[in-house]
Amino acid sequence: MTRQARARERGFTLIELMISLVLFGLVVAGTFQLAITMAAGFREQQMTVAAEGSVRSAMEMMSEAMRGVSPGVPVGNIQHVNTCATGALSVTNSATAPDQVTAVFASGSVVTSSRTAYEAGSLSLTVDNATQLAVGDTVLITNLDQGHLATITSVNAASGVLGLAAQSCGSLALPVAGYGAGSLVLRATRATFSVGTVDSMPTLMLDPDAEGPAAAEPFAEGVEDLQIAVGIDTNGDGALTEVGTSANDDEWSFNVAGETLPAGALRAVRVTMVARTTGRRANAGGYRRPAAGDRPAATATDGYRRRTLTSTVEIRNLEGSP
């Protein structure tokens, strides 16, 4: 065999093999690092999409509730016969924490009329159609000038007789002659939306009876901020102007810190929610809670990605509505 033939059959030297292994290891390590980075990015994106989906569903429900505030009572004069709570919409505003909002709105499209009067001391009410009402529901009885909320304790669908909770409010302001036969009766809810914590996770909470005995329930996971601004038509021109650079410089309240509610017709509500992901980046830097409403952004980063949604709703039932 010639020297050239032997040279052609010679294998790798030890040094060449070691260099090849090192290069191969670098390629494999780079591939694994890329795969890990892509997987982490995919998980992070999935959490972001989930956070946005959660806040979007909650926003749709809240927007519909705000749009239907004060059903059947154009002036918002509503009182609960048990808790004495009054008003159709109230906002607890804070420039350093999430806001809280309580609203009275229709629950479904259950509307009927009364066949008997509802007066001081009444424990029952007969309606034209009780088939869609159930024990535990709240009904709003209204003469289109004022309204009262009462809880159903029994239902006779055949006769239309509703048993109602006793009037336990000490300062009950019923109409002088009560609500006569033919008054509008509809199923309604007085609920409070707020932000709480469930298993260390910020959560939008819904209290289905506001000041009543029921406990608040988780409504949307991951919502860490709720900001409410109200548009009040102070000059009566049917429009809302907004400047938002200093307190009380426009017809929107709670869009700037330090504001108080002026007199005028309530026309619109702006709901802003901030939702964060359930997990965060290994490196906690880079993300922080953004500014929303009259609440400034957080100063410290925490690694959670966030989504902010805002909805401006014109109230259709109040006299200030378009």
Side-chain angles (χ1 to χ4, degrees), residues 18-19 42 56 122 176 179-180 189 213 227 234 244 247 258 267:
M18 292 178 62
I19 293 173
F42 180 70
R56 190 174 297 278
S122 292
V176 175
Y179 294 98
T189 298
Q227 294 294 315
T234 56
R267 182 179 177 88

Side-chain angles (χ1 to χ4, degrees), residues 110-128:
V110 182
V111 181
T112 184
S113 58
S114 64
R115 286 193 278 133
T116 57
Y118 183 76
E119 304 167 322
S122 292
L123 296 177
S124 66
L125 181 70
T126 303
V127 297
D128 287 333

Side-chain angles (χ1 to χ4, degrees), residues 59 62-63 66 226-229 269-273 309-313:
M59 179 65 79
M62 269 200 71
S63 296
M66 296 300 106
L226 171 66
Q227 294 294 315
I228 306 294
V269 175
R270 178 183 298 148
V271 181
T272 302
M273 293 186 198
L309 265 66
T310 298
S311 176
T312 300
V313 181

Side-chain angles (χ1 to χ4, degrees), residues 57 101 128 163:
S57 298
V101 59
D128 287 333

Side-chain angles (χ1 to χ4, degrees), residues 233-246:
D233 188 4
T234 56
N235 57 15
D237 66 353
L240 296 173
T241 59
E242 182 168 16
V243 181
T245 58
S246 59

